[in-house]
Every structure is written in structure tokens, then in C-alpha cells.
Amino acid sequence: MIKLVAIDLDGTLLNSQKQISEEDKKTLKQAKDQGVKIVICTGRPLAAIVGYLDELGLNEPGDYSITFNGGLVQKNDTGEIIEKALMPLAHIHELYELAVSLNIPLDILSEGTVLHLPTSAEYPSIYGQLNNLLTFEPIILEEMATDRIYNKAVVAIDTEYLDEQIKKIPADFYERYEVIKTRSNLLEFMPKGITKAYGISLLARDLDIKQEEVMTIGDEENDLPMIEYAGIGVAMENAVEMVKKAADVITKNNDQSGVAEAVKEYVLKPLEGVD
């Protein structure tokens, strides 16, 4: 029996208009009402998903989200952090040097604030266009305090240029960081081992839920670890090929309420036979 469903947002629960379908809302509410934990699992900070949580009714005590690609596990009603993995300032210095050498923009997420670092005058960051719900603040490296919370680093730039520069990232960076594309024009750096699967495993442990009792639903490269981790890993029909290959199930696409289809089939149906 599935007791926890972890769901990605962009390309998964959100359709092409960045909206949640009424069918998805209805189905997830049914699952929650039957005691299943519905957990949004995203690269975004909590401040950027509050509206969606409200739509889904996931703003009550006992509701959780996994944010920053597994870096934080938080209570939705209070924002309290119950599990965390942060990025050391030394890593930011190293990533700053990399960004300068590759002539790419670099943004650092610090809780609900995005810190713009001046690494490329020629190629400014487009992160603000991708997520306008956050606060943006220019900063220089010397102003970054050792006691501030840093969650992850992102590079947001035109897809074609980004793909060319990714080829130039030295191999040893992949040994020290999780380097993943979360969208075609967005590259993210997390401390090694910090993935959506990591965050889900911590929450599942805290809630005494077994790995085989977890279902995950996603579409992008950063969803791959949680698809591989889950008892049932579900890929959207619009998912990238590597996610589809790893998945146990492929559901409809994000414009056809694919989340609802998977939850009805693998979560609600088994519960119908439970006394």
C-alpha cells in the first residue's frame, strides 16, 4: 500500500500554463483524505510554492514539502525545517570561479532570496524570468557571510549556450556536486548526495514509512533519483528519456492530468479494498 506520494511541480503537476488541473486537485484531495501523505518535491524554496500548497489544501499540520531538490524537508503550515543539508561558503567560492571561467551567470539561493553574483556581464541570468515569486538581490562574493544559509547554486541562461558550457565543466566537479539540469535552460549545483530521493528518504524515515510504500512522480533529470528510489516510480509521458527508462510506470502527460491517473491507479484503487 502506498502511504506517501512525492510529486514534482514543473512538467509534472503543473500543466503548460503553470496550473494544476481540477482533476489533479480532486484526486490528490481524495488520497490525502484517506491518510496518504501528499508531498510536493521541488527545486524551489517553500516561499515559491505556497500558492500551490493552498490550492491543494496542503497547508495543514501534518503536511510536508521537500524543497531545494532535497536540501530541506519542511512543515507546510509553519515552514519549520525538520531536515536540512546546506551548501558551505567554500563551495560557493569554487562555483564562482567556475562560472567566471565559463562566462556564465551564477545565482545562489539563500532561503527565499536569490543572490546575483557578477560572474558574466555578457550573459545575464534569466532566473528572474523563470521564477518571479522570489526576492532578488545583487551581491559580491566578499559580502557573502559565513553565517548565512546557502541552499544551492543555479545557472539560468539560454539553452543552446548553456549546453555548450556544460561540456566544459571539469569532471571533478561531478565528483563533489550533484550537477543537474532541472529545465532545459537551468543548471543546478547541490552538495554531493543531496537529491530529491535523499529528502524523501529522510521524511519517510521520520514518518516511519517504508521505501516500498513510497510513490514518486516526475519528468526531469533531477527527478531521476527519486524515481529510482521509490517503490513505484512514475514518469510523465512528457518526461525526458532517462526518467522514462528508469520508471516503473509511465502515465499521461502534464496537460492530461497524468498525476491523477497514476494516483487513481496505484493509490486510490488499492485503498478501495481496505476495510
Side-chain angles (χ1 to χ4, degrees):
M1 181 187 298
I2 296 299
K3 296 182 179 180
L4 186 154
V5 181
I7 310 168
D8 171 57
L9 275 179
D10 294 289
T12 301
L13 186 57
L14 300 185
N15 62 23
S16 300
Q17 287 73 47
K18 301 295 183 184
Q19 297 173 342
I20 304 172
S21 75
E22 291 303 318
E23 187 64 22
D24 282 344
K25 290 180 192 177
K26 174 185 173 184
T27 303
L28 293 179
K29 183 180 185 303
Q30 286 179 314
K32 180 185 174 180
D33 288 346
Q34 293 180 356
V36 178
K37 291 293 182 183
I38 304 299
V39 179
I40 300 302
C41 195
T42 178
R44 304 185 191 191
L46 191 66
I49 66 170
V50 169
Y52 296 125
L53 297 177
D54 290 343
E55 279 189 66
L56 294 164
L58 297 177
N59 47 13
E60 301 173 340
D63 290 327
Y64 303 88
S65 289
I66 294 166
T67 56
F68 296 109
N69 282 322
L72 296 183
V73 180
Q74 297 179 261
K75 294 182 178 180
N76 292 350
D77 59 332
T78 64
E80 178 187 347
I81 297 170
I82 62 173
E83 301 286 356
K84 64 181 179 181
L86 305 178
M87 178 170 279
L89 184 57
H91 285 191
I92 295 171
H93 280 257
E94 184 175 49
L95 293 172
Y96 177 89
E97 293 177 3
L98 175 69
V100 170
S101 70
L102 296 181
N103 194 21
I104 54 178
L106 185 68
D107 294 317
I108 307 299
L109 272 79
S110 176
E111 299 182 282
T113 302
V114 180
L115 305 175
H116 277 308
L117 283 165
T119 56
S120 175
E122 189 177 358
Y123 296 97
S125 172
I126 62 170
Y127 196 55
Q129 300 171 33
L130 301 180
N131 198 334
N132 58 11
L133 297 176
L134 301 176
T135 301
F136 291 80
E137 174 187 323
I139 196 170
I140 60 173
L141 193 62
E142 293 73 19
E143 293 175 343
M144 301 188 79
T146 56
D147 59 351
R148 186 166 187 171
I149 291 175
Y150 303 109
N151 302 103
K152 66 176 180 178
V154 301
V155 178
I157 195 65
D158 173 76
T159 300
E160 185 175 348
Y161 182 70
L162 176 60
D163 287 344
E164 285 301 313
Q165 300 311 97
I166 286 174
K167 298 173 185 177
K168 303 174 186 177
I169 297 175
D172 61 311
F173 275 81
Y174 290 88
E175 297 172 4
R176 298 194 301 281
Y177 300 93
E178 298 293 338
V179 186
I180 47 177
K181 287 188 79 175
T182 56
R183 301 190 208 178
S184 63
N185 52 6
L186 186 62
L187 182 71
E188 304 195 5
F189 293 84
M190 293 286 294
K192 192 67 177 177
I194 307 306
T195 65
K196 289 185 177 183
Y198 174 79
I200 294 168
S201 69
L202 295 182
L203 179 59
R205 180 197 65 192
D206 292 344
L207 298 177
D208 197 25
I209 292 174
K210 299 175 183 178
Q211 185 172 348
E212 59 266 28
E213 296 171 330
V214 175
M215 183 167 85
T216 59
I217 312 175
D219 73 301
E220 261 296 350
E221 182 180 338
N222 64 321
D223 298 319
L224 181 62
M226 74 173 188
I227 296 295
E228 294 175 330
Y229 163 85
I232 302 177
V234 180
M236 305 298 289
E237 194 278 329
N238 53 286
V240 297
E241 196 60 32
M242 68 173 68
V243 171
K244 285 184 176 180
K245 287 182 178 178
D248 301 298
V249 176
I250 298 176
T251 188
K252 293 179 181 177
N253 68 42
N254 62 321
D255 287 321
Q256 297 176 316
S257 300
V259 168
E261 180 184 63
V263 172
K264 287 176 185 176
E265 181 68 24
Y266 296 98
V267 180
L268 297 184
K269 274 191 178 179
L271 285 176
E272 290 173 359
V274 177
D275 293 330

